Amino acid sequence: MKKGFTLIELIVVVGLIGIIGLIITANLTGAFSNQQDEQYAFFEETLENAACTYIDRREAELKKADCLEKKSCTVNLQTLLEFGLIVDSDLVNPKTGSKVSTSNTVTISYDAEGIKSCSYNE
């Protein structure tokens, strides 16, 4: 009586292990990509919230500058840094790992009812 595996049995087992490995790799790649997207969304939200806070705190001055009457204002990241609403470590893009320019801006817009929305502009 012979003991061991036939060549076909070995090929099938190696093939199954390869397929399982591909499935696991694809799932892990997707998970890392989703995590980067979530981190970038949080990065944008941090900058947008800082800009909205800046506008709220300086509303009286901005009315004089007609910023609120135009229904749109733009604030650069350098201004948010100087005002203390963000710190230098907030300016790292989580997708690329590189520092973003302080000349990038956040636009604050007002709709007809005066509801404010902010959007980060790279």
Side-chain angles (χ1 to χ4, degrees):
M1 220 172 159
K2 294 182 182 179
K3 292 185 178 182
F5 298 105
T6 66
L7 182 58
I8 293 184
E9 290 172 327
L10 288 174
I11 291 172
V12 169
V13 169
V14 169
L16 287 173
I17 290 172
I19 291 170
I20 291 170
L22 286 174
I23 292 170
I24 290 172
T25 302
N27 285 338
L28 288 177
T29 303
F32 288 127
S33 177
N34 289 341
Q35 183 181 18
Q36 282 183 332
D37 291 343
E38 289 174 10
Q39 288 176 339
Y40 188 77
F42 181 74
F43 165 76
E44 282 185 321
E45 185 179 342
T46 299
L47 298 178
E48 291 166 359
N49 287 339
C52 286
T53 301
Y54 174 81
I55 295 297
D56 287 343
R57 291 184 182 174
R58 310 229 18 219
E59 191 169 356
E61 295 171 37
L62 295 173
K63 278 185 181 175
K64 291 178 187 174
D66 295 330
C67 185
L68 297 180
E69 291 176 16
K70 293 177 184 173
K71 304 291 184 198
S72 179
C73 299
T74 301
V75 179
N76 67 25
L77 301 184
Q78 182 64 40
T79 302
L80 298 177
L81 274 170
E82 291 169 359
F83 205 73
L85 294 169
I86 57 174
V87 292
D88 206 39
S89 62
D90 290 334
L91 299 178
V92 177
N93 184 328
K95 284 188 175 181
T96 63
S98 61
K99 188 172 179 177
V100 299
S101 171
T102 56
S103 63
N104 291 359
T105 60
V106 178
T107 301
I108 299 93
S109 304
Y110 297 87
D111 65 11
E113 288 133 18
I115 297 173
K116 182 176 18 182
S117 65
C118 301
S119 61
Y120 172 63
N121 311 308
E122 274 191 76

